[in-house]
Amino acid sequence: MDFSDSFRIVNLAVGIIMMLGGISQFFHLGFQSIIIGAYVLVFGAAVALLEFQIPPQVSRYASFMFSFIGRGIFYIFIGSILLNNGVLRIIAGSIVGLIGVGYVALEFVPSIEPPANMREADQGWGAEQV
């Protein structure tokens, strides 16, 4: 079964939720909140943009984004960063983290293949061109 469009919509939604969670970090003015907000905002934009275009540097330096387990652990990590003071951040962090848990579980379901944009750059370990 081909769920490519569903995965694309979910990844775009996660990217938007991450960006909104990153913006909400700025409301609690403090050095740590601003730094975390900036990182989460950049990561959210990167996740959303990966659904449209995959730069070659991403497949080389962030190859974990091209497997269910890698992307799932990344989403769990960002979701746990977002779990902080405030209802909106807790909701955003919970949604991102739960989607990450779902992606980790999908790694172990052989009947569901990763979408084309996740398979495109996945050439295995050490497959870079010399």
Side-chain angles (χ1 to χ4, degrees):
M1 293 172 40
D2 187 28
F3 294 110
S4 292
D5 291 336
S6 301
F7 288 125
R8 177 166 279 178
I9 291 170
V10 168
N11 290 332
L12 280 172
V14 167
I16 291 169
I17 291 170
M18 285 169 64
M19 288 190 293
L20 292 174
I23 291 170
S24 73
Q25 290 281 347
F26 293 121
F27 296 136
H28 184 296
L29 290 179
F31 183 72
Q32 183 178 8
S33 294
I34 292 172
I35 297 298
I36 290 174
Y39 271 104
V40 172
L41 188 63
V42 168
F43 287 151
V47 165
L49 291 175
L50 277 178
E51 296 306 311
F52 299 108
Q53 183 179 4
I54 301 172
Q57 295 86 2
V58 173
S59 61
R60 183 178 184 116
Y61 297 114
S63 60
F64 61 90
M65 292 298 286
F66 300 104
S67 70
F68 280 136
I69 197 162
R71 194 174 283 233
I73 291 172
F74 178 70
Y75 286 174
I76 292 168
F77 173 69
I78 297 298
S80 67
I81 287 176
L82 285 174
L83 290 174
N84 201 354
N85 301 352
V87 176
L88 292 177
R89 285 178 279 218
I90 292 173
I91 292 172
S94 299
I95 291 171
V96 172
L98 288 174
I99 291 173
V101 169
Y103 270 8
V104 169
L106 284 175
E107 178 73 22
F108 303 103
V109 179
S111 62
I112 298 180
E113 293 183 15
N117 66 339
M118 285 173 64
R119 278 183 270 134
E120 205 168 276
D122 187 21
Q123 298 173 359
W125 291 98
E128 57 269 345
Q129 298 290 326
V130 178

